[in-house]
Amino acid sequence: MNDKQDAPNDLDNSIRLQEVSIIVPTFREAANIPRLVERIHAALSDSGISWELLLVDDNSEDGSEAVVAELAGRLPVRMVTRRQPPRDLSLSVIEGIRLCRFDRLVVMDADLSHPPERIADLLAALDGDCDMVIGSRYAPGGLIDQTWSPWRLLNSRVATSMAFPLVSCADPMAGFFATDRRVLPVLQTLQPIGYKIALELMVRGQLRVKELPIDFRDRRLGSSKMNWRQQLKFLRHLCRLYLFKFGWMARALCFGLVGASGLVIDIAGYLGLQWIGLEHRLARFLSFWPAVTWNWRLNRSLTFGERHREPRVRQWGKFVASSLLGLTLNVGSYTVLTSLVDFFASRRLLALLLGVVLGTLVNFLLANFYVYRLHSGTLKKRTSR
C-alpha cells in the first residue's frame, strides 16, 4: 500500500475545485453550533462552492444532535457521533476524513476561534505548489486575541517552538487548515494523540505547507477543553512524531532523558531515606525501586509508546531485570577499570562515566529488543478510510 492516497489529477480538479467538506470535531459545543453554521453559510453562499459541514461529536450528550437535526432541514449539515472511547479531537477528525463526501477538506474548531470567512481563501491558496494551507496566527499579518493572558501566550509559543524541528512553518500548532484527502497519508498509519491533527498530517505525510495569516479569536461561548491532560497528550504526541522523523537517534535521546529523570528520583529517594534515619545501604537499595518504576512507566508511554504493550507486571519485571544487568555492567566495568588498568586508577571519574555509558547502552538495547520489543502488527488499529 502506498504511503499516500492517489494524487489528484487535472480532470478531477476541474470538477472538484468547487466542492469542499468542512470537518469540525465537537464536544459539548451545542451553544456554538448554530452560530458556526450560519457564519459558514453566509461566507460560502455566494462563493460558488458546494459544501457540506460534517460535525464529528465525541458523544457530548448536550443536545448537539438535536441542534444539528434542526439545521440539517435547510442546510448541508450533518453530525456523526463517536460513542466509543477514547474522546479525542484528532480521532474525530480522522473519522470525518473517512466519512466526508468531498476530497477537498477544511478542518476547523467549533468555538469560532477560526474565522469561517477565510475558508474560501484557504481553498483558493490550495494549489499544485502545496498540499496543505493553514490559517496561521504567527505568519506575518496574523493576529491573536488580545484577551489572551501572558501565561497562555507563553504556553502557546513554547509548544510551537517544540514543534519547529519537525516542520517548516511559523504556526505548526494550527487547527484551521485546508487540504486534499488524496494527498494525505493512508489513515491507518496515523497515530495522533490529542488535538494537533494538522501537525500529525504534516509530519507523517511530509506535506508541503503554505500559510495564510488569520485573526484568531478566543471563544465567547462554552468552555475550553484545554487542561493538563491535554498538555500531557501533546507531549506524548510530540515524542511520537520525533521518533517517526528522527528514528533511533530520537529514541536513544528520549531513553537517556528518561534515565536522567529517574536518576534524580533515585538520588532524592536515597538522600530522603537517610534523612529520616535509614542506614545508607538500605536507603540505596530502596531508592532503586521508585526510580526504575518511573523509568519503566515513562519509557512505556513515551520512548516506546507506539509498541505493543505487554501486561504491566510482566513488562515491569523485564525492565527491572534489564536495569539490574545494566547496573551490574556499570559498576563492574568501573571496578575492573580502576583495579586493573593503571590509566583509570588515577582517573576514576572517567571510569565512572564510561561505566555509565556502557550500562546505559546495554539498558537501551535490552529495552529496544527485549522489554519493549517490536512485534508484528504492533501498531494500534486506527480508523481507516
Side-chain angles (χ1 to χ4, degrees):
M1 183 176 289
N2 293 330
D3 289 339
K4 293 189 178 184
Q5 314 288 352
D6 293 337
N9 58 57
D10 293 338
L11 288 176
D12 286 339
N13 281 341
S14 65
I15 300 172
R16 299 173 184 269
L17 276 177
Q18 301 306 313
E19 300 174 335
V20 63
S21 291
I22 303 164
I23 300 170
V24 178
T26 62
F27 180 63
R28 295 177 181 170
E29 295 287 358
N32 282 311
I33 289 173
R35 298 173 63 236
L36 173 70
V37 173
E38 294 298 342
R39 282 182 60 180
I40 291 175
H41 175 55
L44 298 180
S45 59
D46 296 325
S47 66
I49 298 174
S50 297
W51 59 278
E52 67 158 346
L53 174 59
L54 176 57
L55 300 119
V56 186
D57 188 71
D58 259 333
N59 200 23
S60 297
E61 298 182 339
D62 67 341
S64 293
E65 290 175 306
V67 171
V68 173
E70 189 278 327
L71 292 166
R74 56 190 177 87
L75 292 171
V77 182
R78 59 190 172 109
M79 174 172 278
V80 174
T81 301
R82 294 179 62 247
R83 303 192 187 278
Q84 296 298 321
R87 289 193 174 108
D88 187 278
L89 182 150
S90 291
L91 294 181
S92 293
V93 172
I94 291 174
E95 182 75 354
I97 294 172
R98 189 176 70 86
L99 296 176
C100 63
R101 292 173 55 200
F102 304 127
D103 286 324
R104 288 209 311 164
L105 314 172
V106 167
V107 176
M108 63 190 303
D109 290 344
D111 60 8
L112 293 168
S113 57
H114 302 143
E117 293 75 19
R118 300 305 302 276
I119 291 175
D121 296 328
L122 291 182
L123 293 171
L126 188 63
D127 54 31
D129 294 331
C130 68
D131 302 310
M132 175 184 286
V133 180
I134 63 174
S136 175
R137 300 164 294 178
Y138 299 131
L143 297 173
I144 293 177
D145 198 308
Q146 296 302 307
T147 63
W148 271 25
S149 66
W151 170 249
R152 184 175 178 186
L153 184 60
L154 176 64
N155 188 57
S156 175
R157 286 294 192 178
V158 169
T160 298
S161 65
M162 293 172 69
F164 277 154
L166 297 169
V167 293
S168 300
C169 63
D171 192 4
M173 314 300 287
F176 184 31
F177 62 91
T179 188
D180 191 299
R181 178 165 55 182
R182 294 163 294 176
V183 303
L184 298 181
V186 174
L187 299 184
Q188 300 99 307
T189 65
L190 301 177
Q191 299 182 59
I193 311 173
Y195 58 103
K196 295 305 177 186
I197 184 61
L199 183 63
E200 173 80 6
L201 295 173
M202 281 187 253
V203 175
R204 293 192 187 273
Q206 302 179 35
L207 303 185
R208 299 167 299 163
V209 177
K210 183 184 296 184
E211 294 185 85
L212 202 69
I214 64 166
D215 187 354
F216 183 90
R217 296 290 182 180
D218 212 354
R219 68 163 59 241
R220 298 294 182 261
L221 298 174
S223 58
S224 172
K225 312 308 184 293
M226 177 57 62
N227 53 38
W228 65 269
R229 289 187 180 88
Q230 291 298 324
Q231 291 175 323
L232 288 178
K233 284 184 177 181
F234 167 69
L235 293 177
R236 289 179 60 200
H237 187 202
L238 204 64
C239 184
R240 285 187 180 185
L241 293 178
Y242 270 94
L243 293 174
F244 172 81
K245 183 160 186 175
F246 298 109
W248 69 267
M249 292 185 293
R251 198 180 301 280
L253 176 60
C254 186
F255 187 85
L257 292 174
V258 168
S261 69
L263 179 61
V264 172
I265 291 176
D266 197 357
I267 293 173
Y270 170 70
L271 296 176
L273 290 170
Q274 290 185 83
W275 182 75
I276 64 174
L278 267 67
E279 195 268 338
H280 73 93
R281 283 167 290 195
L282 178 59
R284 181 67 194 90
F285 172 77
L286 293 178
S287 68
F288 170 81
W289 300 103
V292 76
T293 302
W294 168 271
N295 286 358
W296 162 76
R297 186 68 183 86
L298 279 188
N299 281 316
R300 179 180 168 99
S301 298
L302 298 178
T303 315
F304 302 96
E306 83 286 5
R307 293 191 179 180
H308 172 74
R309 291 193 173 190
E310 295 184 7
R312 286 182 171 84
V313 174
R314 182 198 305 170
Q315 194 176 58
W316 177 83
K318 292 167 67 173
F319 188 80
V320 169
S322 66
S323 297
L324 288 173
L325 178 58
L327 180 63
T328 300
L329 289 173
N330 181 345
V331 176
S333 64
Y334 170 82
T335 302
V336 170
L337 288 173
T338 55
S339 300
L340 302 180
V341 181
D342 291 339
F343 177 82
F344 290 106
S346 58
R347 297 172 177 83
R348 294 176 181 173
L349 181 58
L350 181 58
L352 185 150
L353 293 175
L354 287 175
V356 169
V357 171
L358 178 61
T360 301
L361 176 61
V362 169
N363 281 343
F364 175 71
L365 292 175
L366 287 171
N368 190 54
F369 296 109
Y370 172 60
V371 181
Y372 308 97
R373 68 184 183 276
L374 186 63
H375 295 264
S376 59
T378 55
L379 291 181
K380 298 175 183 177
K381 291 182 180 179
R382 296 288 173 178
T383 305
S384 61
R385 181 180 172 187

